[in-house]
Amino acid sequence: MESDDIFIRLALEEARLAYAKGEIPVGAVLTSGETILAKAHNNSISMKDPSAHAEILAMRKAAEITGNYRLVGTTLYVTLEPCIMCAGTIIQARISRLVFGASDPKAGGVVSLYRLLCDKRLNHVVEVAEGIQREACTEILSRFFREKRR
């Protein structure tokens, strides 16, 4: 979908903000239809909070805006496949759809290591689209970690 590409590009802008702050460059955008409810980027280092992932921060902002922790009918766009913590929160928030760019073979909770969002034993299943702007999402992470190793 064309809007998937647009919103992932906005999530990449958030990832660039994280990169500039020395945070792992992951960005997220949460929408309801074509309306942006929240944008966020990783902030674990500056907030000294291991849960301050882009996805969590975007969901918190959207819940505050909507006045409800249930985010039914929304789509979450993320540059990197969510970890198990974020995947669990996506389920709890009842997000309808997840779109992400790069997979995460070391910590992915959606398709790489675990498949939490499609586990029929849970009371909520999330539609997933992966690989949108994969190259750009992978490149910013690769560049960040290359520079950290120097």
Side-chain angles (χ1 to χ4, degrees):
M1 290 174 34
E2 187 178 332
S3 60
D4 287 353
D5 193 60
I6 291 166
F7 290 126
I8 282 287
R9 288 178 189 272
L10 291 173
L12 274 163
E13 288 178 17
E14 286 293 317
R16 288 183 195 100
L17 293 173
Y19 185 98
K21 293 167 53 175
E23 298 277 356
I24 296 174
V26 177
V29 174
L30 186 64
T31 66
S32 177
E34 298 296 312
T35 302
I36 296 172
L37 296 176
K39 298 188 289 187
H41 54 272
N42 273 6
N43 241 331
S44 294
I45 297 166
S46 60
M47 293 177 76
K48 297 170 187 64
D49 179 355
S51 71
H53 290 195
E55 303 95 307
I56 301 290
L57 296 174
M59 286 185 274
R60 286 178 184 163
K61 287 178 185 177
E64 185 69 29
I65 288 166
T66 63
N68 194 339
Y69 76 101
R70 298 280 194 214
L71 300 169
V72 177
T74 62
T75 300
L76 180 62
Y77 296 88
V78 189
T79 57
L80 180 65
E81 175 185 356
C83 68
I84 57 174
M85 173 186 68
C86 293
T89 306
I90 289 166
I91 291 165
Q92 294 301 315
R94 302 299 191 267
I95 288 175
S96 299
R97 187 165 178 259
L98 169 71
V99 178
F100 69 89
S103 59
D104 187 350
K106 294 184 178 182
V110 178
V111 297
S112 295
L113 294 179
Y114 303 96
R115 295 184 172 271
L116 291 177
L117 301 186
C118 65
D119 190 328
K120 302 278 193 236
R121 296 172 295 174
L122 300 173
N123 61 353
H124 182 68
V125 175
V126 179
E127 178 187 337
V128 176
E130 62 179 294
I132 309 301
Q133 290 290 322
R134 181 188 321 267
E135 293 79 19
C137 294
T138 301
E139 191 279 328
I140 192 170
L141 286 158
S142 296
R143 183 170 21 116
F144 177 82
F145 287 111
R146 264 194 320 272
E147 291 176 5
K148 286 288 182 197
R149 285 187 215 105
R150 288 185 195 161

